[in-house]
DNA sequence: CAGACATTGGTGGCCTAGCCAATAGGTCAA
DNA sequence: TTGACCTATTGGCTAGGCCACCAATGTCTG
């Protein structure tokens, strides 16, 4: 190889790994690959792309940083669905544990999300929300705290809003929210109260009442807020 | 180390390049390096970090993707002036131009931000807001569209909210907002209307009325929304 | 002397070759 | 069935080398 000197350089100082990364993403969407699907082994991919393993590795690092794939030692390279956008999370955590900040951000995002969900939810969305509600209920009756159901519920509502940007932002702070969530649900009787709050939100969304949904969500987040603030 | 058996799941899959990247960033902030400053040559850095050049190269790719450094062939590795998190921007833009999504996200964030600003603004914050207002006014009277003043105003309000997480999120979508902003202010008479809206927001913030500030901001964002939607 | 050109040292880009380490899945004995 | 073990497969990382690029310096020419 290496007859590239022939071309007058398309103005771009494109690094090889960038081209490789683009080809890979193109290949992914072309093949319609989804989260969990595997990329070919590095050695094979490298030869089929006509680059060295080192360069391919750089491309994979780039894709990993962006959050497109997850490279697993000894296993393979797997497509990621929920990109690891932990940058913000890390930044915040590194600075200081600021629970109130998280509450504020959550309130801002989820209130709007609830309102949008009330307007846009499809029957499928309502099913998901209901399923999450039932899961949480079952867990609590069994003595659990309903943490997983709680998370499912909020994710279902977020998806029902059908707003990619807001969903992305929720994903970014989801990890921070999780911490406050666990704390909140650890309070006695809190799970039941929380469940009731969820039901109220779900009802408003189901009935298409955006204002009521927003209000219910706001109240719910504030409830969690109280608890979180107690620990200071 | 390596007593990770303590935790059932964590399973530390730290890739070498990640550690290297962290060490480099640590070294950067430790040395207080700024944009334009140079990192040591790869070979030197590699040996001093005790890794191969290939691994160091991966770390640099990661940092390049994040936007911390720019690697220049034949010249060296230079710190970038934009430690930005353009991930979202890129992701959205790559997918499709979704103006409505931006409006929604902006509404969610800025409504909350306005409310917080009303409660937390310091005298300095009010000064900044007022200065932005005046700048926009002067620009418009001079026949301009007040784009810069508009941006200044929203940034000042965001800072007045004193909420790092929300501020971070605003930064992330600021570029997307800018596009809609320019479009909106291109409409005849829109600059004046927009200025009036800003004044209303500023007054509410100054008087400490959170609800009024939120309502005013919401109305303002919706105004922009109308315009943006017109172009479809 | 001034400007164009060639040289050179330093830097990153990319490759080849190879060994190490983790994982999954099979085999076989208890 | 269960558990320990083996092994093929796959990624992780290193070493060493050659090439391309850039900037500064030196050199030649007009």
């Amino acid at each position: 190889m290496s007859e590239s000197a022939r071309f007058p350089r398309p103005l771009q100082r494109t690094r090889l790994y960038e081209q490789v990364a683009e080809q890979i993403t193109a290949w992914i969407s072309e093949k319609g690959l989804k989260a969990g699907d595997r990329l070919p082994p590095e050695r094979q991919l490298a030869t089929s792309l006509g680059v060295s393993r080192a360069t391919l590795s750089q491309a994979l690092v780039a894709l990993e940083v962006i959050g497109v794939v997850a490279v697993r030692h000894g296993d393979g390279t797997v497509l990621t669905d929920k990109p690891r956008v932990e940058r913000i999370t890390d930044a915040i955590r590194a600075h200081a544990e600021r629970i109130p900040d998280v509450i504020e951000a959550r309130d801002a995002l989820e209130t709007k999300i609830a309102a949008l969900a009330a307007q846009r939810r499809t029957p499928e969305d309502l099913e998901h929300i209901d399923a999450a509600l039932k899961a949480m209920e079952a867990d609590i009756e069994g003595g659990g705290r309903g943490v997983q159901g709680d998370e499912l519920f909020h994710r279902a509502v977020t998806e029902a809003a059908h707003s990619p940007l807001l969903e992305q932002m929720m994903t970014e702070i989801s990890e921070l929210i999780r911490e406050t969530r666990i704390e909140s649900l650890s309070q006695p009787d809190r799970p039941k109260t929380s469940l009731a709050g969820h039901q109220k939100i779900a009802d408003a969304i189901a009935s298409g009442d955006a204002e009521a949904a927003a209000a219910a969500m706001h109240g719910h987040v504030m409830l969690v807020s109280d608890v979180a603030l107690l620990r200071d």
Side-chain angles (χ1 to χ4, degrees), chain A residues 79-94:
Chain A
L79 291 208
T80 310
D81 179 23
K82 294 303 176 186
R84 48 173 291 208
V85 201
E86 301 163 355
R87 224 85 230 165
I88 290 189
T89 309
D90 294 346
I92 293 292
R93 209 197 310 278

mmCIF file of all heavy atoms in Angstrom, chain A residues 79-94:
data_model
loop_
_atom_site.group_PDB
_atom_site.id
_atom_site.type_symbol
_atom_site.label_atom_id
_atom_site.label_comp_id
_atom_site.label_asym_id
_atom_site.label_seq_id
_atom_site.Cartn_x
_atom_site.Cartn_y
_atom_site.Cartn_z
ATOM 1 N N LEU A 79 -21.969 -3.071 20.642
ATOM 2 C CA LEU A 79 -22.613 -1.783 20.452
ATOM 3 C C LEU A 79 -23.311 -1.350 21.731
ATOM 4 O O LEU A 79 -23.979 -2.145 22.381
ATOM 5 C CB LEU A 79 -23.640 -1.860 19.323
ATOM 6 C CG LEU A 79 -23.094 -2.035 17.923
ATOM 7 C CD1 LEU A 79 -24.036 -1.425 16.907
ATOM 8 C CD2 LEU A 79 -21.746 -1.365 17.805
ATOM 9 N N THR A 80 -23.169 -0.081 22.057
ATOM 10 C CA THR A 80 -23.818 0.456 23.242
ATOM 11 C C THR A 80 -25.103 1.140 22.828
ATOM 12 O O THR A 80 -25.191 1.713 21.756
ATOM 13 C CB THR A 80 -22.912 1.495 23.913
ATOM 14 O OG1 THR A 80 -21.620 0.929 24.056
ATOM 15 C CG2 THR A 80 -23.454 1.862 25.274
ATOM 16 N N ASP A 81 -26.095 1.053 23.675
ATOM 17 C CA ASP A 81 -27.337 1.748 23.370
ATOM 18 C C ASP A 81 -27.355 3.055 24.126
ATOM 19 O O ASP A 81 -27.310 4.127 23.572
ATOM 20 C CB ASP A 81 -28.534 0.909 23.775
ATOM 21 C CG ASP A 81 -29.821 1.636 23.476
ATOM 22 O OD1 ASP A 81 -29.784 2.515 22.613
ATOM 23 O OD2 ASP A 81 -30.834 1.338 24.108
ATOM 24 N N LYS A 82 -27.394 2.926 25.425
ATOM 25 C CA LYS A 82 -27.356 4.125 26.243
ATOM 26 C C LYS A 82 -25.901 4.509 26.387
ATOM 27 O O LYS A 82 -25.167 3.937 27.165
ATOM 28 C CB LYS A 82 -27.965 3.848 27.614
ATOM 29 C CG LYS A 82 -29.448 3.550 27.546
ATOM 30 C CD LYS A 82 -30.190 4.690 26.878
ATOM 31 C CE LYS A 82 -31.670 4.335 26.726
ATOM 32 N NZ LYS A 82 -32.396 5.349 25.969
ATOM 33 N N PRO A 83 -25.499 5.465 25.593
ATOM 34 C CA PRO A 83 -24.098 5.865 25.599
ATOM 35 C C PRO A 83 -23.646 6.253 26.997
ATOM 36 O O PRO A 83 -24.423 6.773 27.772
ATOM 37 C CB PRO A 83 -24.081 7.071 24.680
ATOM 38 C CG PRO A 83 -25.421 7.201 24.109
ATOM 39 C CD PRO A 83 -26.336 6.260 24.759
ATOM 40 N N ARG A 84 -22.426 5.980 27.265
ATOM 41 C CA ARG A 84 -21.903 6.353 28.579
ATOM 42 C C ARG A 84 -21.500 7.815 28.547
ATOM 43 O O ARG A 84 -20.395 8.165 28.185
ATOM 44 C CB ARG A 84 -20.713 5.486 28.962
ATOM 45 C CG ARG A 84 -19.694 5.354 27.873
ATOM 46 C CD ARG A 84 -18.479 4.640 28.368
ATOM 47 N NE ARG A 84 -17.725 5.429 29.322
ATOM 48 C CZ ARG A 84 -16.422 5.292 29.495
ATOM 49 N NH1 ARG A 84 -15.765 4.418 28.784
ATOM 50 N NH2 ARG A 84 -15.778 5.999 30.377
ATOM 51 N N VAL A 85 -22.453 8.637 28.859
ATOM 52 C CA VAL A 85 -22.191 10.068 28.856
ATOM 53 C C VAL A 85 -21.936 10.471 30.288
ATOM 54 O O VAL A 85 -22.635 11.259 30.855
ATOM 55 C CB VAL A 85 -23.382 10.847 28.315
ATOM 56 C CG1 VAL A 85 -22.928 12.212 27.837
ATOM 57 C CG2 VAL A 85 -24.036 10.088 27.200
ATOM 58 N N GLU A 86 -20.947 9.871 30.861
ATOM 59 C CA GLU A 86 -20.713 10.090 32.284
ATOM 60 C C GLU A 86 -19.829 11.298 32.525
ATOM 61 O O GLU A 86 -19.432 11.564 33.634
ATOM 62 C CB GLU A 86 -20.064 8.855 32.895
ATOM 63 C CG GLU A 86 -20.915 7.617 32.741
ATOM 64 C CD GLU A 86 -20.087 6.379 32.971
ATOM 65 O OE1 GLU A 86 -18.872 6.509 33.142
ATOM 66 O OE2 GLU A 86 -20.668 5.287 32.975
ATOM 67 N N ARG A 87 -19.522 11.991 31.452
ATOM 68 C CA ARG A 87 -18.612 13.116 31.618
ATOM 69 C C ARG A 87 -19.129 14.123 32.626
ATOM 70 O O ARG A 87 -18.439 14.548 33.516
ATOM 71 C CB ARG A 87 -18.429 13.811 30.264
ATOM 72 C CG ARG A 87 -17.001 14.147 30.023
ATOM 73 C CD ARG A 87 -16.270 12.959 29.432
ATOM 74 N NE ARG A 87 -15.048 12.672 30.130
ATOM 75 C CZ ARG A 87 -14.413 11.526 29.962
ATOM 76 N NH1 ARG A 87 -14.913 10.598 29.199
ATOM 77 N NH2 ARG A 87 -13.307 11.290 30.594
ATOM 78 N N ILE A 88 -20.361 14.522 32.443
ATOM 79 C CA ILE A 88 -20.947 15.487 33.360
ATOM 80 C C ILE A 88 -20.969 14.920 34.760
ATOM 81 O O ILE A 88 -20.560 15.549 35.721
ATOM 82 C CB ILE A 88 -22.380 15.834 32.938
ATOM 83 C CG1 ILE A 88 -22.363 16.639 31.659
ATOM 84 C CG2 ILE A 88 -23.065 16.613 34.043
ATOM 85 C CD1 ILE A 88 -23.701 17.183 31.297
ATOM 86 N N THR A 89 -21.459 13.704 34.841
ATOM 87 C CA THR A 89 -21.518 13.021 36.119
ATOM 88 C C THR A 89 -20.175 13.108 36.827
ATOM 89 O O THR A 89 -20.093 13.517 37.978
ATOM 90 C CB THR A 89 -21.862 11.548 35.898
ATOM 91 O OG1 THR A 89 -23.012 11.469 35.074
ATOM 92 C CG2 THR A 89 -22.143 10.882 37.221
ATOM 93 N N ASP A 90 -19.157 12.726 36.118
ATOM 94 C CA ASP A 90 -17.823 12.747 36.696
ATOM 95 C C ASP A 90 -17.435 14.151 37.127
ATOM 96 O O ASP A 90 -16.926 14.359 38.225
ATOM 97 C CB ASP A 90 -16.786 12.226 35.685
ATOM 98 C CG ASP A 90 -17.017 10.756 35.395
ATOM 99 O OD1 ASP A 90 -17.774 10.133 36.169
ATOM 100 O OD2 ASP A 90 -16.445 10.243 34.433
ATOM 101 N N ALA A 91 -17.689 15.088 36.249
ATOM 102 C CA ALA A 91 -17.293 16.460 36.520
ATOM 103 C C ALA A 91 -17.947 16.959 37.799
ATOM 104 O O ALA A 91 -17.289 17.526 38.669
ATOM 105 C CB ALA A 91 -17.679 17.360 35.350
ATOM 106 N N ILE A 92 -19.218 16.719 37.887
ATOM 107 C CA ILE A 92 -19.946 17.171 39.069
ATOM 108 C C ILE A 92 -19.451 16.451 40.309
ATOM 109 O O ILE A 92 -19.139 17.073 41.319
ATOM 110 C CB ILE A 92 -21.452 16.891 38.904
ATOM 111 C CG1 ILE A 92 -22.004 17.750 37.794
ATOM 112 C CG2 ILE A 92 -22.178 17.186 40.210
ATOM 113 C CD1 ILE A 92 -22.021 19.214 38.110
ATOM 114 N N ARG A 93 -19.353 15.145 40.210
ATOM 115 C CA ARG A 93 -18.965 14.380 41.368
ATOM 116 C C ARG A 93 -17.568 14.762 41.834
ATOM 117 O O ARG A 93 -17.278 14.809 43.020
ATOM 118 C CB ARG A 93 -19.027 12.887 41.065
ATOM 119 C CG ARG A 93 -19.328 12.061 42.304
ATOM 120 C CD ARG A 93 -18.974 10.634 42.057
ATOM 121 N NE ARG A 93 -19.530 10.142 40.820
ATOM 122 C CZ ARG A 93 -20.783 9.723 40.700
ATOM 123 N NH1 ARG A 93 -21.579 9.734 41.728
ATOM 124 N NH2 ARG A 93 -21.226 9.287 39.545
ATOM 125 N N ALA A 94 -16.724 15.026 40.861
ATOM 126 C CA ALA A 94 -15.353 15.372 41.187
ATOM 127 C C ALA A 94 -15.314 16.690 41.945
ATOM 128 O O ALA A 94 -14.516 16.879 42.841
ATOM 129 C CB ALA A 94 -14.521 15.466 39.922
#
